[in-house]
Amino acid sequence: MSIVSAFLILGGLFFFGVGVVGILRLPDFYTRLHGASKCDTLGAFLILSGLALHVLAVFDLAHVLVSLKIMAIAIFLSIANPTATHAITEGALLAGVEPWRKGKGAK
């Protein structure tokens, strides 16, 4: 169980790293936000799942409850993060932030 939880946590860290690269390399606000939100949601879900599994190494009622609470946080993040990203994107669109177009602003 420790090996599986370690792989989940390392997978989550990998997706957080990919999100950082996406923020640095993508051309405009919308694509950066898209890359970051997808990677952050999956990374957080994997890390929290690995943590919940790691807590279950000792199987008793207290650890099961802690694991269930961690999974509830993971489910909440899986719902709240895309919703917040959609709201931020819609706000940017209403504020007049122009999407990047190929050939526009190329150096």
Side-chain angles (χ1 to χ4, degrees), residues 48 52 65-79:
L48 289 171
L65 290 175
V66 168
S67 181
L68 287 174
K69 290 175 186 178
I70 291 172
M71 288 311 296
I73 293 169
I75 291 169
F76 173 74
L77 280 176
S78 297
I79 295 169

Side-chain angles (χ1 to χ4, degrees), residues 80-104:
N81 196 3
T83 305
T85 301
H86 176 76
I88 292 169
T89 304
E90 188 173 345
L93 190 62
L94 292 174
V97 177
E98 290 291 324
W100 178 81
R101 304 229 190 276
K102 187 173 182 178
K104 178 182 171 188

Side-chain angles (χ1 to χ4, degrees), residues 1 3 6 9 33-34 41 43 45 56 60-61 65 72 74 78 85 104-107:
M1 198 177 309
I3 294 172
I9 292 170
L33 188 63
H34 175 75
T41 302
F45 188 80
L56 284 178
D60 61 356
L61 181 62
L65 290 175
S78 297
T85 301
K104 178 182 171 188
K107 295 177 183 175

